[in-house]
């Protein structure tokens, strides 16, 4: 029966690696074969060091990317908050300032309209048209103000505000719309 033994050995005095193989010989002795594998070992060691360095770089880069992604999410959230704050401010300004001016204009037109019998037919017609335009403009300003930032959003929360929004859209557009929202 033949048995072979293979082992690698590093001889310190010469700093060389050898692949040594020992076989039983037919005459009852043993045969020893060895091969210098120092270069292969150096390459394997260099490859292992390169793999470890690459793995370290990948871990470092992954950590950097995760941090950058977290910062991007925070920045995006902050931007969304700023946009919401600006919409809220614009909605309030439209409702409070422009809405009040339109209400005052509507009252003035109403006074003129009440004395339309003293005006020429064409002038009375223009006053009525202006009253209709102011009413339409008031309605559009209210709608725009509510679309920019529905007051219901702050008062009753997102689910109710979404239902209100969908119902308003359906009413304004004449398009049947429903909202299917999980609890």
């Amino acid at each position: 029966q033949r048995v072979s033994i293979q082992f690698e050995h590093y001889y310190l005095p010469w700093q060389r690696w050898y692949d040594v193989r020992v076989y039983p010989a037919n005459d009852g002795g043993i045969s020893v074969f060895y091969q210098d594998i120092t270069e292969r070992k150096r390459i394997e060691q260099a490859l292992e060091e390169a793999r470890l360095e690459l793995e370290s770089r990948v871990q470092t880069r992954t950590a950097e990317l995760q941090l950058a992604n977290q910062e991007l999410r925070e920045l995006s959230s902050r931007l969304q908050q700023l946009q919401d704050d600006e919409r809220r401010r614009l909605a309030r300004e439209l409702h409070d300032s422009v809405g009040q001016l339109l209400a005052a204009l509507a009252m003035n037109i109403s006074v003129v309209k009440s004395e339309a019998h003293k005006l020429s037919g064409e002038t009375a017609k223009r006053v009525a048209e202006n009253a209709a335009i102011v009413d339409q403009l008031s309605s559009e300003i209210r709608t725009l103000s509510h679309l920019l930032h529905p007051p219901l959003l702050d008062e009753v929360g997102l689910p109710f505000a979404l239902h209100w929004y969908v119902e308003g859209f359906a009413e304004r557009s004449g398009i049947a719309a429903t909202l299917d929202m999980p609890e």
Side-chain angles (χ1 to χ4, degrees):
Q1 180 177 8
R2 291 192 65 135
V3 175
S4 72
I5 301 170
Q6 178 181 1
F7 61 93
E8 294 176 358
H9 188 70
Y10 185 64
Y11 291 104
L12 287 175
W14 301 286
Q15 296 185 354
R16 309 289 294 170
W17 280 96
Y18 291 92
D19 179 10
V20 179
R21 297 174 191 222
V22 179
Y23 298 98
N26 290 336
D27 63 359
I30 60 168
S31 297
V32 178
F33 299 98
Y34 64 93
Q35 179 182 8
D36 186 341
I37 58 168
T38 305
E39 189 61 28
R40 185 184 83 194
K41 285 296 194 180
R42 286 186 184 143
I43 291 171
E44 287 173 355
Q45 192 173 24
L47 283 173
E48 179 63 15
E49 289 171 4
R51 185 192 65 77
L52 291 173
E53 173 65 22
L54 182 58
E55 190 174 295
S56 173
R57 286 183 182 181
V58 166
Q59 289 174 350
T60 301
R61 187 67 180 132
T62 300
E64 290 171 356
L65 286 173
Q66 288 173 340
L67 180 62
N69 282 338
Q70 177 63 30
E71 290 172 353
L72 184 59
R73 281 190 293 275
E74 290 170 4
L75 182 61
S76 178
S77 175
R78 177 70 179 133
L79 178 61
Q80 187 66 37
Q81 181 63 45
L82 289 172
Q83 287 176 337
D84 192 47
D85 291 346
E86 184 63 12
R87 284 186 187 110
R88 183 180 292 116
R89 187 192 67 76
L90 285 172
R92 191 176 308 118
E93 189 68 27
L94 282 173
H95 181 268
D96 295 348
S97 178
V98 176
Q100 296 300 322
L101 291 172
L102 285 172
L105 184 59
M107 287 189 283
N108 287 343
I109 290 175
S110 177
V111 170
V112 173
K113 197 173 173 185
S114 69
E115 297 191 15
H117 62 280
K118 296 179 183 177
L119 303 172
S120 69
E122 185 62 28
T123 303
K125 180 181 171 190
R126 298 283 185 219
V127 168
E129 287 174 359
N130 286 341
I133 290 171
V134 167
D135 285 343
Q136 183 180 358
L137 187 55
S138 292
S139 175
E140 288 185 20
I141 290 291
R142 269 193 311 276
T143 299
L144 182 58
S145 172
H146 283 90
L147 291 176
L148 278 171
H149 187 80
L152 292 175
L153 191 59
D154 291 330
E155 295 170 14
V156 295
L158 182 64
F160 189 80
L162 286 174
H163 281 288
W164 170 84
Y165 183 82
V166 169
E167 288 170 4
F169 169 79
E171 186 178 311
R172 285 187 305 279
S173 67
I175 297 173
T178 59
L179 176 63
D180 182 17
M181 185 171 54
E183 290 299 320

Coordinates of all heavy atoms in Angstrom, one line a residue, residues 101-181:
L101 N -59.0 91.8 1.1 CA -59.1 92.9 0.0 C -60.2 92.6 -1.0 O -61.0 93.5 -1.4 CB -57.8 93.0 -0.7 CG -56.6 93.6 0.1 CD1 -55.3 93.5 -0.8 CD2 -56.9 95.1 0.4
L102 N -60.4 91.3 -1.3 CA -61.4 90.9 -2.2 C -62.8 91.1 -1.6 O -63.8 91.5 -2.2 CB -61.3 89.5 -2.7 CG -60.2 89.3 -3.8 CD1 -60.0 87.8 -4.0 CD2 -60.5 90.0 -5.0
A103 N -62.9 90.8 -0.3 CA -64.1 91.0 0.5 C -64.5 92.5 0.5 O -65.7 92.8 0.3 CB -64.0 90.4 1.9
A104 N -63.5 93.3 0.7 CA -63.8 94.8 0.7 C -64.2 95.2 -0.7 O -65.2 96.0 -0.8 CB -62.5 95.5 1.2
L105 N -63.6 94.7 -1.7 CA -63.9 95.1 -3.1 C -65.4 94.6 -3.4 O -66.2 95.3 -4.0 CB -62.9 94.4 -4.1 CG -63.1 94.8 -5.5 CD1 -63.0 96.3 -5.8 CD2 -62.1 94.1 -6.4
A106 N -65.7 93.4 -2.9 CA -67.1 92.9 -3.1 C -68.1 93.8 -2.4 O -69.2 94.0 -3.0 CB -67.1 91.5 -2.6
M107 N -67.8 94.2 -1.2 CA -68.7 95.1 -0.5 C -68.9 96.4 -1.3 O -70.0 97.0 -1.4 CB -68.2 95.4 0.9 CG -68.4 94.2 1.8 SD -68.1 94.5 3.6 CE -66.3 94.6 3.6
N108 N -67.8 97.0 -1.8 CA -67.9 98.3 -2.5 C -68.7 98.1 -3.8 O -69.5 98.9 -4.2 CB -66.5 98.8 -2.9 CG -65.8 99.4 -1.7 OD1 -66.4 99.7 -0.7 ND2 -64.4 99.5 -1.8
I109 N -68.5 97.0 -4.5 CA -69.2 96.7 -5.7 C -70.7 96.5 -5.4 O -71.6 96.9 -6.1 CB -68.7 95.4 -6.4 CG1 -67.3 95.8 -7.1 CG2 -69.6 94.9 -7.5 CD1 -66.6 94.6 -7.7
S110 N -71.0 95.9 -4.2 CA -72.4 95.7 -3.8 C -73.1 97.0 -3.6 O -74.3 97.1 -3.9 CB -72.4 94.9 -2.5 OG -73.7 94.7 -2.0
V111 N -72.4 98.0 -3.0 CA -72.9 99.3 -2.8 C -73.3 99.9 -4.2 O -74.4 100.5 -4.4 CB -72.0 100.2 -2.0 CG1 -72.5 101.7 -2.0 CG2 -71.9 99.7 -0.6
V112 N -72.3 99.8 -5.1 CA -72.5 100.4 -6.4 C -73.7 99.7 -7.1 O -74.5 100.3 -7.8 CB -71.2 100.4 -7.3 CG1 -71.5 100.8 -8.7 CG2 -70.1 101.2 -6.6
K113 N -73.7 98.4 -6.9 CA -74.7 97.5 -7.6 C -76.1 97.9 -7.0 O -77.1 97.8 -7.8 CB -74.4 96.0 -7.3 CG -75.1 95.1 -8.2 CD -74.6 93.7 -7.9 CE -75.4 92.7 -8.7 NZ -74.9 91.3 -8.3
S114 N -76.2 98.2 -5.8 CA -77.5 98.6 -5.2 C -78.0 99.9 -5.8 O -79.2 100.1 -5.8 CB -77.4 98.7 -3.7 OG -76.6 99.9 -3.3
E115 N -77.2 100.7 -6.4 CA -77.6 101.9 -7.0 C -77.5 101.8 -8.6 O -77.3 102.8 -9.2 CB -76.8 103.1 -6.5 CG -77.1 103.3 -5.0 CD -76.5 104.6 -4.5 OE1 -76.2 105.5 -5.3 OE2 -76.5 104.7 -3.3
A116 N -77.5 100.6 -9.0 CA -77.4 100.3 -10.5 C -78.5 101.0 -11.3 O -78.3 101.3 -12.5 CB -77.3 98.8 -10.8
H117 N -79.6 101.2 -10.7 CA -80.7 101.9 -11.4 C -80.4 103.3 -11.8 O -81.0 103.9 -12.7 CB -82.0 101.9 -10.5 CG -81.9 102.6 -9.3 ND1 -81.3 102.1 -8.2 CD2 -82.3 103.9 -8.9 CE1 -81.3 103.0 -7.2 NE2 -82.0 104.1 -7.6
K118 N -79.4 103.9 -11.1 CA -79.0 105.3 -11.4 C -77.9 105.3 -12.6 O -77.6 106.4 -13.1 CB -78.4 106.0 -10.2 CG -79.3 106.1 -9.1 CD -78.6 106.8 -7.9 CE -79.6 106.9 -6.7 NZ -78.9 107.5 -5.5
L119 N -77.4 104.1 -12.9 CA -76.4 104.0 -13.9 C -77.0 103.7 -15.3 O -78.1 103.2 -15.4 CB -75.4 102.9 -13.5 CG -74.7 103.1 -12.2 CD1 -73.9 101.8 -11.8 CD2 -73.8 104.3 -12.2
S120 N -76.1 103.9 -16.3 CA -76.6 103.5 -17.6 C -76.6 102.0 -17.7 O -76.0 101.3 -16.9 CB -75.6 104.0 -18.7 OG -74.4 103.4 -18.6
G121 N -77.3 101.4 -18.7 CA -77.5 100.0 -18.8 C -76.1 99.3 -19.0 O -75.9 98.2 -18.4
E122 N -75.3 99.9 -19.8 CA -74.0 99.3 -20.0 C -73.1 99.3 -18.7 O -72.4 98.4 -18.4 CB -73.3 100.0 -21.2 CG -71.9 99.5 -21.6 CD -72.0 98.0 -22.1 OE1 -73.1 97.7 -22.7 OE2 -71.0 97.3 -22.0
T123 N -73.2 100.4 -18.0 CA -72.4 100.5 -16.8 C -72.9 99.6 -15.7 O -72.1 98.9 -15.0 CB -72.4 102.0 -16.3 OG1 -72.0 102.9 -17.3 CG2 -71.6 102.2 -15.0
A124 N -74.2 99.5 -15.6 CA -74.8 98.5 -14.6 C -74.4 97.1 -15.0 O -74.1 96.3 -14.1 CB -76.3 98.7 -14.6
K125 N -74.4 96.8 -16.3 CA -74.0 95.5 -16.7 C -72.5 95.2 -16.3 O -72.2 94.1 -15.8 CB -74.1 95.4 -18.2 CG -73.7 94.0 -18.8 CD -73.9 94.0 -20.3 CE -73.3 92.7 -20.9 NZ -73.2 92.8 -22.3
R126 N -71.7 96.2 -16.5 CA -70.2 96.0 -16.1 C -70.1 95.9 -14.6 O -69.2 95.1 -14.1 CB -69.4 97.3 -16.6 CG -69.4 97.5 -18.0 CD -68.4 96.5 -18.7 NE -68.4 96.8 -20.1 CZ -68.3 96.0 -21.1 NH1 -68.3 94.7 -20.8 NH2 -68.3 96.3 -22.3
V127 N -70.9 96.5 -13.8 CA -70.8 96.4 -12.4 C -71.2 95.0 -12.0 O -70.5 94.4 -11.1 CB -71.7 97.5 -11.7 CG1 -71.9 97.1 -10.2 CG2 -71.2 98.9 -11.8
A128 N -72.2 94.4 -12.6 CA -72.7 93.1 -12.3 C -71.6 92.1 -12.7 O -71.3 91.1 -12.0 CB -74.0 92.8 -13.0
E129 N -70.9 92.3 -13.9 CA -69.9 91.5 -14.3 C -68.7 91.5 -13.3 O -68.1 90.5 -13.0 CB -69.4 91.9 -15.7 CG -70.3 91.5 -16.8 CD -69.9 92.0 -18.2 OE1 -68.9 92.7 -18.3 OE2 -70.6 91.8 -19.2
N130 N -68.4 92.7 -12.9 CA -67.3 92.9 -11.9 C -67.6 92.1 -10.6 O -66.7 91.5 -10.0 CB -67.0 94.3 -11.6 CG -66.2 95.0 -12.8 OD1 -65.7 94.3 -13.6 ND2 -66.3 96.3 -12.8
A131 N -68.9 92.2 -10.2 CA -69.3 91.5 -9.0 C -69.1 90.0 -9.2 O -68.6 89.3 -8.3 CB -70.7 91.8 -8.6
A132 N -69.4 89.5 -10.3 CA -69.3 88.0 -10.6 C -67.8 87.7 -10.7 O -67.4 86.6 -10.2 CB -70.0 87.7 -11.9
I133 N -67.0 88.5 -11.3 CA -65.5 88.3 -11.3 C -64.9 88.3 -10.0 O -64.1 87.4 -9.6 CB -64.8 89.3 -12.2 CG1 -65.2 89.1 -13.7 CG2 -63.3 89.3 -12.1 CD1 -64.8 90.2 -14.6
V134 N -65.3 89.2 -9.1 CA -64.8 89.2 -7.7 C -65.2 88.0 -7.0 O -64.4 87.4 -6.2 CB -65.2 90.5 -7.0 CG1 -64.9 90.4 -5.5 CG2 -64.5 91.7 -7.6
D135 N -66.4 87.5 -7.2 CA -66.9 86.3 -6.5 C -66.1 85.1 -7.0 O -65.7 84.3 -6.2 CB -68.4 86.1 -6.8 CG -69.3 87.0 -6.0 OD1 -68.8 87.6 -5.0 OD2 -70.5 87.1 -6.3
Q136 N -65.9 85.0 -8.3 CA -65.1 83.9 -8.9 C -63.6 84.0 -8.4 O -63.1 83.0 -8.0 CB -65.1 84.0 -10.4 CG -64.4 82.8 -11.0 CD -64.4 82.9 -12.5 OE1 -65.0 83.8 -13.1 NE2 -63.7 81.9 -13.2
L137 N -63.1 85.2 -8.3 CA -61.7 85.4 -7.9 C -61.6 85.0 -6.4 O -60.6 84.3 -6.0 CB -61.2 86.8 -8.1 CG -59.8 87.1 -7.8 CD1 -58.9 86.2 -8.6 CD2 -59.5 88.6 -8.1
S138 N -62.6 85.3 -5.6 CA -62.6 85.0 -4.1 C -62.6 83.5 -4.0 O -61.9 82.9 -3.2 CB -63.8 85.6 -3.4 OG -63.6 87.0 -3.4
S139 N -63.4 82.8 -4.8 CA -63.6 81.4 -4.7 C -62.2 80.7 -5.1 O -61.8 79.8 -4.5 CB -64.7 80.9 -5.7 OG -64.7 79.5 -5.7
E140 N -61.6 81.2 -6.2 CA -60.3 80.6 -6.6 C -59.2 80.9 -5.6 O -58.4 80.0 -5.4 CB -60.0 81.2 -8.0 CG -60.8 80.6 -9.1 CD -60.4 81.0 -10.5 OE1 -59.3 81.5 -10.7 OE2 -61.3 81.0 -11.4
I141 N -59.2 82.0 -5.0 CA -58.2 82.3 -4.0 C -58.4 81.4 -2.8 O -57.4 80.8 -2.2 CB -58.2 83.8 -3.5 CG1 -57.8 84.7 -4.6 CG2 -57.4 84.0 -2.2 CD1 -56.3 84.6 -4.9
R142 N -59.6 81.2 -2.3 CA -59.9 80.3 -1.2 C -59.5 78.8 -1.6 O -58.8 78.2 -0.8 CB -61.4 80.2 -0.9 CG -61.8 81.2 0.1 CD -63.2 81.0 0.7 NE -64.2 80.8 -0.4 CZ -64.9 81.8 -1.0 NH1 -64.6 83.0 -0.7 NH2 -65.8 81.5 -1.9
T143 N -59.8 78.4 -2.8 CA -59.4 77.1 -3.3 C -57.9 77.0 -3.3 O -57.3 76.0 -2.8 CB -60.0 76.8 -4.7 OG1 -61.4 76.8 -4.6 CG2 -59.5 75.4 -5.2
L144 N -57.2 77.9 -3.9 CA -55.7 77.9 -4.0 C -55.1 77.9 -2.6 O -54.2 77.1 -2.3 CB -55.2 79.1 -4.8 CG -53.7 79.2 -5.0 CD1 -53.2 78.0 -5.7 CD2 -53.4 80.4 -5.7
S145 N -55.7 78.7 -1.7 CA -55.2 78.7 -0.3 C -55.3 77.4 0.4 O -54.4 76.9 1.0 CB -55.9 79.8 0.5 OG -55.6 79.8 1.8
H146 N -56.5 76.7 0.2 CA -56.7 75.4 0.8 C -55.9 74.3 0.1 O -55.5 73.4 0.8 CB -58.2 75.1 0.7 CG -59.0 75.8 1.7 ND1 -59.6 77.0 1.4 CD2 -59.3 75.5 3.0 CE1 -60.3 77.4 2.5 NE2 -60.1 76.5 3.5
L147 N -55.6 74.5 -1.2 CA -54.8 73.5 -1.8 C -53.3 73.6 -1.4 O -52.6 72.6 -1.3 CB -54.9 73.6 -3.4 CG -56.3 73.2 -3.9 CD1 -56.3 73.4 -5.4 CD2 -56.6 71.7 -3.6
L148 N -52.9 74.8 -1.2 CA -51.5 75.0 -0.8 C -51.2 74.4 0.6 O -50.2 73.7 0.8 CB -51.1 76.5 -0.7 CG -50.8 77.2 -2.0 CD1 -50.7 78.7 -1.9 CD2 -49.4 76.6 -2.5
H149 N -52.1 74.6 1.5 CA -52.0 74.0 2.8 C -53.4 74.0 3.4 O -53.9 74.9 4.0 CB -51.1 74.9 3.7 CG -50.8 74.2 5.0 ND1 -49.9 73.2 5.1 CD2 -51.3 74.3 6.2 CE1 -49.9 72.7 6.4 NE2 -50.7 73.4 7.1
P150 N -54.0 72.8 3.3 CA -55.4 72.7 3.9 C -55.4 72.9 5.4 O -54.6 72.3 6.1 CB -55.8 71.2 3.6 CG -54.8 70.8 2.5 CD -53.6 71.6 2.7
P151 N -56.2 73.8 5.9 CA -56.2 74.0 7.3 C -56.6 72.8 8.1 O -56.2 72.5 9.2 CB -57.2 75.2 7.5 CG -57.9 75.3 6.2 CD -57.1 74.7 5.2
L152 N -57.4 71.9 7.4 CA -57.8 70.7 8.0 C -56.6 69.8 8.4 O -56.7 69.0 9.3 CB -58.8 69.9 7.1 CG -60.1 70.5 6.9 CD1 -60.9 69.7 5.9 CD2 -60.9 70.6 8.2
L153 N -55.6 69.9 7.6 CA -54.4 69.1 7.8 C -53.8 69.3 9.2 O -53.5 68.4 9.9 CB -53.3 69.5 6.8 CG -52.1 68.6 6.7 CD1 -52.5 67.1 6.4 CD2 -51.1 69.1 5.6
D154 N -53.8 70.6 9.7 CA -53.3 70.9 11.0 C -54.4 70.6 12.1 O -54.0 70.2 13.2 CB -52.9 72.4 11.1 CG -51.6 72.7 10.3 OD1 -50.8 71.8 10.2 OD2 -51.5 73.8 9.8
E155 N -55.6 70.8 11.7 CA -56.7 70.6 12.7 C -57.1 69.2 13.0 O -57.3 68.8 14.1 CB -57.9 71.4 12.2 CG -57.7 72.9 12.1 CD -58.8 73.7 11.5 OE1 -59.9 73.1 11.3 OE2 -58.6 74.9 11.1
V156 N -57.3 68.4 11.9 CA -57.8 67.0 12.1 C -56.9 65.9 11.6 O -57.2 64.8 11.7 CB -59.2 66.9 11.5 CG1 -60.2 67.8 12.2 CG2 -59.2 67.2 10.0
G157 N -55.8 66.3 10.9 CA -54.8 65.3 10.5 C -55.0 64.9 9.0 O -55.9 65.3 8.3
L158 N -54.0 64.1 8.6 CA -53.9 63.7 7.2 C -55.1 62.9 6.6 O -55.6 63.2 5.6 CB -52.6 62.9 7.0 CG -52.3 62.5 5.5 CD1 -52.1 63.7 4.6 CD2 -51.0 61.7 5.5
P159 N -55.6 61.8 7.3 CA -56.6 61.0 6.7 C -57.9 61.9 6.4 O -58.4 61.8 5.3 CB -56.9 60.0 7.8 CG -55.7 59.8 8.5 CD -55.1 61.2 8.6
F160 N -58.3 62.7 7.3 CA -59.5 63.5 7.1 C -59.3 64.5 6.0 O -60.1 64.8 5.2 CB -60.0 64.2 8.4 CG -61.3 64.8 8.3 CD1 -62.5 64.1 8.3 CD2 -61.4 66.2 8.1 CE1 -63.7 64.7 8.2 CE2 -62.6 66.8 7.9 CZ -63.8 66.1 8.0
A161 N -58.1 65.2 6.1 CA -57.7 66.2 5.0 C -57.7 65.6 3.6 O -58.1 66.2 2.7 CB -56.4 66.8 5.4
L162 N -57.2 64.3 3.5 CA -57.2 63.7 2.2 C -58.6 63.4 1.7 O -58.9 63.6 0.5 CB -56.4 62.3 2.3 CG -54.9 62.5 2.4 CD1 -54.2 61.1 2.6 CD2 -54.3 63.1 1.1
H163 N -59.5 62.9 2.6 CA -60.9 62.7 2.2 C -61.5 64.1 1.7 O -62.2 64.1 0.7 CB -61.7 62.2 3.4 CG -61.5 60.7 3.6 ND1 -62.0 59.8 2.7 CD2 -60.8 60.0 4.5 CE1 -61.7 58.6 3.1 NE2 -61.0 58.7 4.2
W164 N -61.2 65.1 2.5 CA -61.8 66.5 2.1 C -61.2 66.9 0.7 O -61.9 67.4 -0.1 CB -61.4 67.5 3.2 CG -61.6 68.9 2.7 CD1 -62.8 69.6 2.9 CD2 -60.7 69.8 2.1 NE1 -62.7 70.8 2.3 CE2 -61.4 71.0 1.9 CE3 -59.4 69.7 1.8 CZ2 -60.8 72.1 1.3 CZ3 -58.8 70.8 1.2 CH2 -59.5 72.0 0.9
Y165 N -59.9 66.6 0.5 CA -59.3 67.0 -0.7 C -59.9 66.3 -1.9 O -60.2 66.9 -3.0 CB -57.8 66.8 -0.7 CG -57.0 67.2 -1.9 CD1 -56.6 68.5 -2.1 CD2 -56.7 66.3 -2.9 CE1 -55.9 68.9 -3.2 CE2 -56.0 66.6 -4.0 CZ -55.6 68.0 -4.2 OH -54.9 68.4 -5.3
V166 N -60.1 65.0 -1.8 CA -60.6 64.2 -2.8 C -62.1 64.6 -3.1 O -62.5 64.7 -4.3 CB -60.5 62.7 -2.5 CG1 -61.3 61.8 -3.5 CG2 -59.1 62.2 -2.5
E167 N -62.9 64.8 -2.1 CA -64.2 65.3 -2.3 C -64.3 66.6 -3.0 O -65.1 66.8 -3.9 CB -65.0 65.3 -0.9 CG -65.3 64.0 -0.4 CD -65.8 64.1 1.1 OE1 -66.0 65.2 1.6 OE2 -66.0 63.0 1.7
G168 N -63.4 67.5 -2.6 CA -63.3 68.8 -3.2 C -62.9 68.7 -4.7 O -63.5 69.4 -5.6
F169 N -61.9 67.9 -5.0 CA -61.5 67.7 -6.4 C -62.7 67.1 -7.2 O -62.9 67.6 -8.3 CB -60.3 66.7 -6.4 CG -60.0 66.2 -7.8 CD1 -59.3 67.0 -8.7 CD2 -60.5 65.0 -8.3 CE1 -59.0 66.6 -9.9 CE2 -60.2 64.6 -9.6 CZ -59.5 65.4 -10.4
A170 N -63.4 66.1 -6.7 CA -64.5 65.6 -7.4 C -65.6 66.6 -7.7 O -66.2 66.7 -8.8 CB -65.1 64.4 -6.6
E171 N -65.8 67.5 -6.7 CA -66.9 68.5 -6.8 C -66.4 69.6 -7.9 O -67.2 70.0 -8.7 CB -67.1 69.2 -5.5 CG -68.2 70.2 -5.5 CD -68.4 70.7 -4.1 OE1 -68.5 70.0 -3.1 OE2 -68.5 72.0 -4.0
R172 N -65.2 70.0 -7.8 CA -64.7 71.1 -8.7 C -64.5 70.6 -10.1 O -64.8 71.3 -11.1 CB -63.3 71.6 -8.2 CG -63.4 72.5 -7.0 CD -62.0 73.1 -6.7 NE -61.0 72.2 -6.5 CZ -60.7 71.5 -5.4 NH1 -61.5 71.6 -4.4 NH2 -59.7 70.6 -5.4
S173 N -64.1 69.3 -10.3 CA -63.8 68.8 -11.6 C -64.9 68.1 -12.3 O -64.9 67.9 -13.5 CB -62.5 67.9 -11.6 OG -62.9 66.7 -10.8
G174 N -65.9 67.6 -11.5 CA -66.9 66.8 -12.0 C -66.5 65.4 -12.3 O -67.2 64.6 -13.0
I175 N -65.3 65.0 -11.8 CA -64.8 63.7 -12.0 C -65.1 62.9 -10.8 O -64.7 63.3 -9.7 CB -63.3 63.7 -12.3 CG1 -63.0 64.5 -13.6 CG2 -62.7 62.3 -12.4 CD1 -61.5 64.7 -13.9
A176 N -65.7 61.7 -10.9 CA -66.0 60.9 -9.8 C -64.6 60.4 -9.2 O -63.8 59.8 -10.0 CB -66.9 59.7 -10.1
A177 N -64.4 60.6 -7.9 CA -63.1 60.2 -7.3 C -63.4 59.6 -5.9 O -64.3 60.1 -5.2 CB -62.2 61.4 -7.2
T178 N -62.7 58.6 -5.6 CA -62.8 58.0 -4.3 C -61.4 57.8 -3.7 O -60.5 57.7 -4.5 CB -63.6 56.6 -4.3 OG1 -62.8 55.7 -5.1 CG2 -65.0 56.8 -4.8
L179 N -61.4 57.7 -2.4 CA -60.1 57.5 -1.7 C -60.1 56.2 -1.0 O -61.0 55.9 -0.2 CB -59.8 58.7 -0.7 CG -58.6 58.5 0.1 CD1 -57.3 58.6 -0.8 CD2 -58.5 59.6 1.2
D180 N -59.2 55.3 -1.3 CA -59.1 54.0 -0.7 C -57.8 54.1 0.1 O -56.7 54.0 -0.4 CB -59.0 52.9 -1.7 CG -59.0 51.5 -1.0 OD1 -59.3 51.4 0.2 OD2 -58.6 50.6 -1.7
M181 N -57.9 54.2 1.5 CA -56.8 54.4 2.3 C -56.8 53.4 3.5 O -57.9 53.3 4.1 CB -56.8 55.8 2.9 CG -55.6 56.2 3.7 SD -55.5 57.9 4.1 CE -57.1 58.2 4.8

